[in-house]
Amino acid sequence: MNKTCCFFGHRTVNNRVDLQEKVSRLVEELIKNGFSIFLFAGFGEFDELCYSVVSQKQKIYSNIKRVYCVSDERHLNPRKRPKYLQEDCYEEF
């Protein structure tokens, strides 16, 4: 069974380096405990930080999936998706 984790956070973050280290340790622990699907909202510094961490972990753990949670159902159609939502940045939408 695939376990899922979602990241939806603040627009701005303080102490970015400290937070990135904490998130990296947390994601590593989650992966070791069977989490392989990571959901993102894609807005704000926290989401960007978490996306970056998970993308780095994906280089080590190839089974990880990054899933973008669309706020508008039309964006499930690749032709109607905003340009900032690039197909190769996520495994699913």
Side-chain angles (χ1 to χ4, degrees), residues 37-49:
I37 300 171
F38 294 88
L39 308 178
F40 300 93
F43 295 107
E45 292 177 11
F46 180 76
D47 294 356
E48 290 172 13
L49 182 146

Side-chain angles (χ1 to χ4, degrees), residues 68 70-87 93:
Y68 185 86
V70 297
S71 58
D72 185 331
E73 195 173 313
R74 291 177 299 162
H75 297 158
L76 292 173
N77 180 338
R79 293 182 314 190
K80 297 190 181 206
R81 201 171 287 152
K83 293 191 187 305
Y84 65 85
L85 291 177
Q86 298 177 5
E87 189 80 23
F93 287 87

